[in-house]
Amino acid sequence: MTHPSPADRIIELRRLIRYHNDRYYVDDAPEIDDAEYDALFRELRDLESAHPESFDPDSPTRKVGGTPSAGFRKVPHAVPMTSLENAFSADDLRDFLSGIRNFILELRDPGAPIALVAEPKIDGLSCSLRYEAGRLVAGTTRGNGAEGEDVTANVRAIADIPHRLKGDGWPAVLDVRGEVYMSDADFLALNERQEAEGAKTFANPRNAAAGSLRQLDPAVTSRRSLHFFAYAWGESSEPFAQTQWEARAKLAGWGFVLNEPAEQLTVSGSDDSGLLRYYDNLRDRRASLGFSIDGIVMKIDRLDWQVRLGFVSRAPRWAIAWKFPPEQAATVISRIVVQIGRTGKATPVAHLVPVNVGGVLVSRATLHNEDEIRRKDIREGDTVVIQRAGDVIPQVAGVVLERRPAGSVPFRFPSECPECGSRLVREPGEAGTYCTGGLVCAAQARERLRHFVSRGALDIEGMGDKNIELFYDKGLVRTPADIFTLELRDGREAPPLATWTGWGEISAHKLFEAIRRASVVPLDRFILALGIRQVGEATARLLARRYLSLVRWRAAMEAAADPASEAHHELLSIEGIGESVADDLVAFFREPHNLALLDRLTLPSGGEPPLLSVGDFQPPAAAGAVAGKTVVFTGTLETMSRSEAKARAEAMGANVAGSVSGKTDYVVVGADAGSKEKKARELGLTVLSEAGWLALIDRGRGRDNDG
Ligand code: IVH
């Protein structure tokens, strides 16, 4: 099967971004730099919006941060901790403002003033501090936005964080949010100490702060002076301010340190000079603040508007981060190495003489693909300008031709897989080059195994990258099925695991135990583990929810190979699954070796029970009167813009459609509704006025679905 190249690139970008998210958020040790990360992120977002058929609710563009690390207790956030949308230019900022005007009906007139609060964007790690009756009861990192790590003992060791709120007027329950960070001076001192002690040094103050806060021993945290700025809040048992500016004053009164310099600014008409001045000023003072900032944050001042604007999946509509431009530095490419991924994609990576770019040590830059190398004529030995911007990754901005060594030759993309020697091919019209080794390619096999045991999939503790490599190289684990016979075979094909260097009875026992535990797996995680192209966590969940059991799912996927079949039709009818994902599913089930793997894992053989027991999907209880219903808005609404109406409906779990059909549950009609209302009446659908709709969603709010 051939893949259109944008679809491939999208998959690759999602994988790359997830990988680098984990390096950044979980390991506190990014491998690439901010500008490159931002570039990947933007490329993905642009591709996704140009190719809506590639929609994946699991895409990293719709999520925040990394997965919480093991070692700390996981705590759910009462109100999710989201990220912020990024602006990179004054134009992006204007787009943000016009989006606001479009959403809040009262701001349609461009002359209507919008008050904003502008603050520095601190480059640290966000934390939620829970106060009950004015006492600090919990501190939690952002984690994946929905749940974070319990770092209560550690935040208590931070002097800026009050154990008891000062003054009065604080809500009985209040989650204060802000950034834990390390000052530039403390960062340099810490690295000197670490170096003297032969311990690991940190690439930048942000990683140092994260590494210091996420210490299992709070005594270590307390030795590393950390600070905290408060700039937001999550759950609050009662409202305590009407504007962001007022909320800041309250937080200060209760004993928090605020991120300064902040300003309250107003834009009206085309005059946004105040914002631009604030941005320029901060950018110029950046180096002398004493702590790292990577841009400014602008927030709509009125809190009632913040509530109405609400959130898109990964960020609020009422705030935006305007990043400072990329920082650049020159270095030399020592080598260009081609890496093979799980799907066989060959990605060229530049290995660099390490260089400090705006506070981060950079030693790698991905070159994306063959065309990218050719376009920029990047060669081994070249001096290149590396740039990074914003909060994570690096890219090659260009080659310094004057410094090109004599006798340099253009990079020749290898025609053979560096791992297995199979041919590398590039389909006409595609950007990606792929290894044709399939099952014989060790790099692909290892990547697939890694995926199989990874956290969202089988989640086998103790089966990290290093051990996969180890078992693979010893020939003990070549396919996912081998993992589950490892214990049975222990000591037969190789000396017992407990006798290997670095292993013992306990660690071997623990690993086998973890494998046994992982052999009972819910359907959605099993589907994810198979590593089918484009099937991420959310798509796997969609499939599990629709087919409920492994037997039904497998039968349906095999039947869907016939495009005229009912099964094919059903697959495409799942909201969130398009042609391209369906093609990949069908292709997976067409491969005999995939079917053999499924058999081996999930069917009994030779009188033995199956290696894996895949549990049926347990649907969660639905909530809200309009959850899962399809609604169409038509005509002019009075109390809200169309965008606001759509956003509110979606927040209540409804699907908003553009046209009326037999599948529509509600049609909400405003003034001058035309043909859609007529069609709705003809079809006998439920037609509601704006007031009727508002009453319906109000009734549904926070109540369980009773029918
Ligand atoms: S407000 C609901 N204000 O930047 C939005 N965030 O890139 C709450 N950050 O996750 C965030 N300085 O960790 C806000 N003045 C500031 C900030 C700030 C830094 C962090 C925060 C956020 C990330 C997004």
Side-chain angles (χ1 to χ4, degrees):
M1 196 183 65
T2 57
H3 283 273
S5 67
D8 265 1
R9 181 72 186 141
I10 286 172
I11 300 168
E12 181 65 12
L13 283 166
R14 286 177 181 157
R15 194 187 64 78
L16 271 171
I17 292 171
R18 273 188 207 112
Y19 174 80
H20 291 300
N21 276 346
D22 278 352
R23 298 294 76 72
Y24 183 80
Y25 288 108
V26 181
D27 302 345
D28 303 324
E31 285 175 9
I32 54 167
D33 221 320
D34 298 12
E36 194 180 351
Y37 179 85
D38 282 344
L40 292 175
F41 198 93
R42 255 178 298 168
E43 186 186 350
L44 176 58
R45 210 184 36 200
D46 293 349
L47 273 174
E48 284 179 341
S49 64
H51 299 277
E53 74 281 1
S54 72
F55 175 80
D56 175 358
D58 280 329
S59 173
T61 53
R62 304 176 55 83
K63 293 211 165 149
V64 180
T67 328
S69 76
F72 289 95
R73 198 170 63 93
K74 314 283 189 295
V75 192
H77 296 297
V79 172
M81 289 183 82
T82 64
S83 180
L84 291 170
E85 255 327 310
N86 290 326
F88 295 94
S89 64
D91 277 345
D92 289 351
L93 183 76
R94 290 178 189 127
D95 287 348
F96 163 73
L97 291 170
S98 72
I100 303 272
R101 292 198 184 280
N102 198 26
F103 194 96
I104 301 275
L105 211 52
E106 302 94 295
L107 290 175
R108 275 291 159 82
D109 172 4
I114 308 179
L116 295 155
V117 172
E119 303 171 344
K121 183 174 186 308
I122 316 297
D123 201 7
L125 129 128
S126 50
C127 241
S128 192
L129 307 173
R130 192 168 185 83
Y131 288 85
E132 288 175 9
R135 286 164 187 270
L136 175 65
V137 295
T140 315
T141 64
R142 178 166 69 178
N144 62 14
E147 59 171 24
E149 297 159 338
D150 179 357
V151 289
T152 310
N154 302 29
V155 297
R156 285 187 196 282
I158 299 176
D160 290 343
I161 295 181
H163 291 198
R164 273 161 169 254
L165 297 179
K166 287 202 228 145
D168 49 28
W170 26 262
V173 176
L174 177 66
D175 286 337
V176 174
R177 291 184 174 169
E179 205 85 351
V180 170
Y181 70 97
M182 191 178 278
S183 73
D184 293 343
D186 288 335
F187 163 66
L188 293 173
L190 171 63
N191 262 359
E192 263 173 36
R193 250 181 8 245
Q194 293 284 104
E195 203 160 337
E197 290 166 13
K200 97 168 186 187
T201 55
F202 295 96
N204 56 31
R206 192 235 163 240
N207 294 334
S212 306
L213 183 67
R214 291 157 80 249
Q215 286 287 331
L216 288 167
D217 178 3
V220 177
T221 306
S222 94
R223 273 205 305 279
R224 301 194 179 163
S225 31
L226 293 175
H227 294 276
F228 181 81
F229 279 136
Y231 51 62
W233 57 97
E235 187 180 5
S236 161
S237 54
E238 60 212 84
F240 58 90
Q242 292 188 329
T243 62
Q244 185 77 29
W245 195 250
E246 188 191 346
R248 281 178 60 93
K250 290 269 169 83
L251 288 170
W254 296 333
F256 291 97
V257 182
L258 304 183
N259 48 345
E260 303 285 2
E263 256 179 59
Q264 204 181 18
L265 295 160
T266 301
V267 288
S268 116
S270 57
D271 181 14
D272 46 21
S273 54
L275 284 180
L276 303 192
R277 218 174 310 117
Y278 179 85
Y279 175 85
D280 287 346
N281 174 31
L282 222 60
R283 188 196 47 209
D284 296 346
R285 291 175 50 191
R286 181 179 186 184
S288 58
L289 289 175
F291 52 86
S292 293
I293 65 172
D294 57 2
I296 66 169
V297 180
M298 245 100 52
K299 304 174 180 175
I300 297 293
D301 197 22
R302 271 179 64 165
L303 299 184
D304 58 336
W305 284 352
Q306 288 192 3
V307 170
R308 279 172 60 188
L309 285 156
F311 293 81
V312 262
S313 49
R314 71 186 284 279
R317 275 194 200 83
W318 46 265
I320 194 159
W322 184 2
K323 299 292 195 72
F324 293 139
E327 303 198 59
Q328 300 189 324
T331 187
V332 173
I333 295 185
S334 45
R335 265 188 335 144
I336 297 176
V337 172
V338 171
Q339 287 178 357
I340 307 293
R342 165 161 61 93
T343 59
K345 169 116 198 252
T347 304
V349 176
H351 289 210
L352 308 166
V353 173
V355 62
N356 187 320
V357 192
V360 172
L361 205 60
V362 178
S363 55
R364 301 272 155 101
T366 162
L367 302 173
H368 301 300
N369 55 47
E370 189 177 6
D371 287 349
E372 171 88 356
I373 297 181
R374 191 168 314 138
R375 191 166 48 240
K376 295 185 175 163
D377 187 20
I378 299 168
R379 306 179 182 188
E380 289 182 338
D382 268 351
T383 297
V384 286
V385 175
I386 301 294
Q387 69 171 32
R388 50 178 290 267
D391 55 327
V392 202
I393 309 181
Q395 67 186 358
V396 174
V399 176
V400 186
L401 285 176
E402 308 82 77
R403 295 224 218 134
R404 174 164 283 170
S408 121
V409 289
F411 179 71
R412 278 202 40 218
F413 208 88
S415 53
E416 283 165 12
C417 172
E419 190 83 28
C420 70
S422 303
R423 255 173 351 105
L424 291 180
V425 296
R426 192 173 157 191
E427 297 289 338
E430 284 195 35
T433 303
Y434 285 84
C435 165
T436 52
L439 289 178
V440 308
C441 178
Q444 289 183 56
R446 274 198 308 261
E447 291 299 321
R448 275 196 301 270
L449 284 167
R450 271 191 200 134
H451 175 77
F452 191 82
V453 302
S454 66
R455 228 175 253 152
L458 274 272
D459 192 14
I460 305 182
E461 221 166 297
M463 262 295 189
D465 290 2
K466 267 215 310 270
N467 285 340
I468 287 285
E469 203 136 316
L470 184 68
F471 292 130
Y472 189 93
D473 290 344
K474 296 217 185 252
L476 287 171
V477 174
R478 288 289 160 91
T479 78
D482 296 339
I483 294 171
F484 298 95
T485 58
L486 198 57
E487 185 173 9
L488 201 74
R489 291 180 289 127
D490 192 38
R492 293 199 203 154
E493 294 150 43
L497 182 57
T499 65
W500 296 12
T501 334
W503 291 79
E505 289 296 340
I506 296 180
S507 52
H509 174 80
K510 265 180 135 169
L511 178 65
F512 294 142
E513 175 86 19
I515 293 175
R516 248 176 281 134
R517 245 181 296 133
S519 68
V520 179
V521 59
L523 180 59
D524 51 339
R525 301 241 305 257
F526 179 71
I527 295 177
L528 174 74
L530 293 175
I532 303 168
R533 279 193 188 189
Q534 303 200 71
V535 179
E537 243 169 81
T539 305
R541 219 172 306 121
L542 291 176
L543 291 164
R545 190 179 304 152
R546 171 62 61 115
Y547 297 101
L548 302 174
S549 77
L550 176 65
V551 172
R552 284 203 52 206
W553 177 60
R554 179 171 172 176
M557 294 305 98
E558 291 183 43
D562 173 4
S565 65
E566 183 59 31
H568 192 87
H569 190 74
E570 181 180 10
L571 178 57
L572 282 176
S573 77
I574 302 174
E575 180 85 36
I577 294 195
E579 295 276 0
S580 144
V581 176
D583 282 353
D584 283 339
L585 281 161
V586 165
F588 180 90
F589 280 87
R590 249 198 220 120
E591 291 288 337
H593 66 262
N594 289 334
L595 300 180
L597 174 68
L598 279 174
D599 288 349
R600 177 86 182 92
L601 284 171
T602 65
L603 298 181
S605 101
E608 293 292 324
L611 296 175
L612 273 183
S613 150
V614 181
D616 290 355
F617 183 76
Q618 304 296 336
V626 299
K629 303 280 196 224
T630 300
V631 52
V632 172
F633 293 99
T634 177
T636 312
L637 303 177
E638 251 169 50
T639 64
M640 53 191 160
S641 66
R642 186 65 68 83
S643 337
E644 185 172 4
K646 182 166 187 278
R648 279 184 70 178
E650 284 172 351
M652 311 285 303
N655 305 311
V656 179
S659 62
V660 172
S661 78
K663 288 191 189 151
T664 311
D665 294 293
Y666 300 110
V667 179
V668 181
V669 297
D672 305 321
S675 59
K676 288 183 192 168
E677 175 176 9
K678 187 158 163 269
K679 183 163 179 197
R681 298 209 185 271
E682 281 164 12
L683 289 171
L685 303 174
T686 308
V687 176
L688 296 171
S689 66
E690 184 174 345
W693 166 254
L694 289 173
L696 182 70
I697 59 176
D698 263 350
R699 242 193 304 128
R701 194 181 294 273
R703 209 189 49 173
D704 279 343
N705 189 6
D706 55 8

